[in-house]
Amino acid sequence: MNGGLLVAGTTSDAGKSVVTAGICRWLVRQGVKVAPFKAQNMSLNSFVTREGAEIGRAQAMQAQACRVEPTALMNPVLLKPGGEQSSQVVLLGKPVGELSARGYHGGRQQKLLGTVLDCLAELRGTYDAVICEGAGSPAEINLRRTDIVNMGIARNARLPVLVVGDIDRGGVFASFFGTVALLSPEDQALVAGFLVNKFRGDVSLLEPGLDMLHGLTGRQTYGVLPFRHGLGIDEEDGLRVSLRGTVRESNTAPPVGEDVLRVAVCAIPLMSNFTDVDALAAEPGVVVRFVDRPEELADADLVVVPGTRGTVRALEWLRERGLADALRRRAAEQRPVLGICGGFQILGEHIEDDVESRRGQVDGLGILPVRVRFAREKTLTRPVGEALGERVEGYEIHHGVAEVTGGEPFLDGCRVGQTWGTHWHGSLESDGFRRAFLREVAAAAGRRFVPAPDTSFAALREEQLDRLGDLIEQHADTDALWRLIESGAPQGLPFIPPGAPA
């Protein structure tokens, strides 16, 4: 078998990442050697591979669904927004510069097509099947000429395309039809059919619409996936996704101790790798919410200042909203605060930034004895260490170089009183360390909270990925899906006018 598939979507957040991961897990359970691929990803949630390459966290999670080690080949182009108008371009895991959206789509993107196709070809030469994920919608006709992630790669690699639509938003039939009808005849010939995502209710009520869609387009629907809570894997678009005021989905098991533990995460601008707190939310009795007002810190037992792609901008935002003063008061009162990566830098004495914001020297919050200088070269490592008597693994993605001048050592950062700071992402996924850390937080907060003795974050993620595989196996036409991956799009698919504009 040398198969492939492109999972496209009618919109962003239609469920492409989840469906791709589910198909990958279903295939690997059938004994297929499979790999994920996303040619170009826009995300502030990223991961470091063992060879020191930066890729999107969603592709790292999809690799886990495939039970393979993630590599830069799986996400050759990563765009990390620095604002509404520009992004850092990460090519094959290494940053190569900043570009405006106009500059990127104006020529640079198309030049990357050869690199993208080479990566895909290498994966297809190594694996039985490669399940590719698109971005946004394949019918973004203003971007089709320079497209390297949707129909551009599907046509060059002769990949069949499955279009996913989120029926929970409404308008899914119009979205399916319109997506196909806005593609050129050559692109339409690769669109094999549709997959309905997040359906609530009786499927029999949907079937007449699916029959009509087949009559209108000549394309079948490969499955109707029911709505399920808690299935989202690591989000991608950190610029667009706003988590302010939301509660991170938590483990439904009851608390082990008498009290719950309340965690408030500052929803700073350009928040990156906010998935760091998922391991906290996985603990029974830990409630994680994202906040943007100082009064929301008052009842928190732990406040987390997460990573950000704009450290100086986030620092200014904290000051403007009064959160900076609230954080200083917490630290002075010996109430727990944790700064991760950019959040760690914000808690320091000052920041010298001629790289990210180009603002020169800026005063930090002065809570931790740390001075930060931004280097042009990005640190991309997978450190291993020890803290609170437990082994810890993590990964680092930052331009800031920290000079720690005091406090107690803590994961290459420091601790002063009940304020901790580190550049390490992912440290809370180390189960023993997370439990030890939460015990310290509970003691400092005066809470009778007890961490569950058997929570395994890795096992919970595996269960989540198996649930995605179950969705595909139980609610998709897997025989038809197998034929599509193995043999490509059916021949003779009809053209749906008007097609793409000339």
Side-chain angles (χ1 to χ4, degrees), residues 276 340-341 383-386 392-396 411-413 422-427:
D276 282 334
I340 303 174
C341 199
V384 177
E386 185 176 302
V392 188
E393 295 184 26
Y395 56 99
E396 295 186 54
L411 300 179
D412 292 340
T422 177
H423 272 135
W424 291 24
H425 294 290
S427 63

Side-chain angles (χ1 to χ4, degrees), residues 258-305:
E258 297 179 45
D259 290 341
V260 299
L261 209 61
R262 298 172 180 84
V263 179
V265 184
C266 295
I268 56 181
L270 296 175
M271 185 166 43
S272 63
N273 284 61
F274 53 79
T275 48
D276 282 334
V277 301
D278 286 355
L280 295 177
E283 284 285 347
V286 176
V287 179
V288 177
R289 71 183 190 277
F290 290 80
V291 304
D292 63 355
R293 296 191 298 271
E295 56 269 27
E296 293 175 301
L297 305 189
D299 67 344
D301 302 308
L302 169 67
V303 172
V304 177
V305 188

Side-chain angles (χ1 to χ4, degrees), residues 110-337:
Q110 202 166 23
K111 292 177 182 177
L112 296 173
L113 179 61
T115 299
V116 162
L117 291 172
D118 287 346
C119 291
L120 177 57
E122 188 170 341
L123 288 174
R124 296 187 80 177
T126 305
Y127 292 89
D128 300 329
V130 178
I131 308 302
C132 308
E133 180 187 344
S137 162
E140 291 168 350
I141 54 180
N142 56 315
L143 303 177
R144 176 61 183 91
R145 183 178 61 84
T146 57
D147 172 47
I148 65 169
V149 65
N150 290 306
M151 301 313 299
I153 192 169
R155 199 194 296 188
N156 275 279
R158 304 307 301 168
L159 291 170
V161 179
L162 182 69
V163 180
V164 178
D166 179 356
I167 197 170
D168 198 46
R169 295 183 175 192
V172 75
F173 292 115
S175 298
F176 281 146
F177 183 87
T179 296
V180 179
L182 281 176
L183 300 178
S184 68
E186 297 84 356
D187 287 347
Q188 286 193 24
L190 295 172
V191 178
F194 315 107
L195 187 79
V196 177
N197 191 31
K198 297 184 183 179
F199 180 71
R200 306 172 191 252
D202 185 346
V203 176
S204 66
L205 299 177
L206 191 66
E207 287 171 353
L210 300 178
D211 292 340
M212 285 186 275
L213 183 66
H214 183 269
L216 287 166
T217 66
R219 291 159 172 84
Q220 75 174 89
T221 297
Y222 283 76
V224 178
L225 306 186
F227 187 97
R228 292 285 188 268
H229 287 285
L231 288 181
I233 60 174
D234 297 347
E235 289 93 340
E236 293 189 343
D237 191 344
L239 181 66
R240 184 181 49 77
V241 173
S242 175
L243 294 169
R244 292 169 196 168
T246 64
V247 177
R248 202 67 170 159
E249 289 190 74
S250 303
N251 195 310
T252 55
V256 175
E258 297 179 45
D259 290 341
V260 299
L261 209 61
R262 298 172 180 84
V263 179
V265 184
C266 295
I268 56 181
L270 296 175
M271 185 166 43
S272 63
N273 284 61
F274 53 79
T275 48
D276 282 334
V277 301
D278 286 355
L280 295 177
E283 284 285 347
V286 176
V287 179
V288 177
R289 71 183 190 277
F290 290 80
V291 304
D292 63 355
R293 296 191 298 271
E295 56 269 27
E296 293 175 301
L297 305 189
D299 67 344
D301 302 308
L302 169 67
V303 172
V304 177
V305 188
T308 172
R309 173 83 166 87
T311 303
V312 171
R313 178 177 167 188
L315 183 56
E316 292 172 343
W317 181 88
L318 289 168
R319 287 187 168 120
E320 289 166 2
R321 291 190 166 249
L323 286 160
D325 290 337
L327 287 167
R328 286 196 190 95
R329 284 195 300 271
R330 282 190 68 91
E333 294 166 2
Q334 298 297 303
R335 301 179 65 199
V337 176

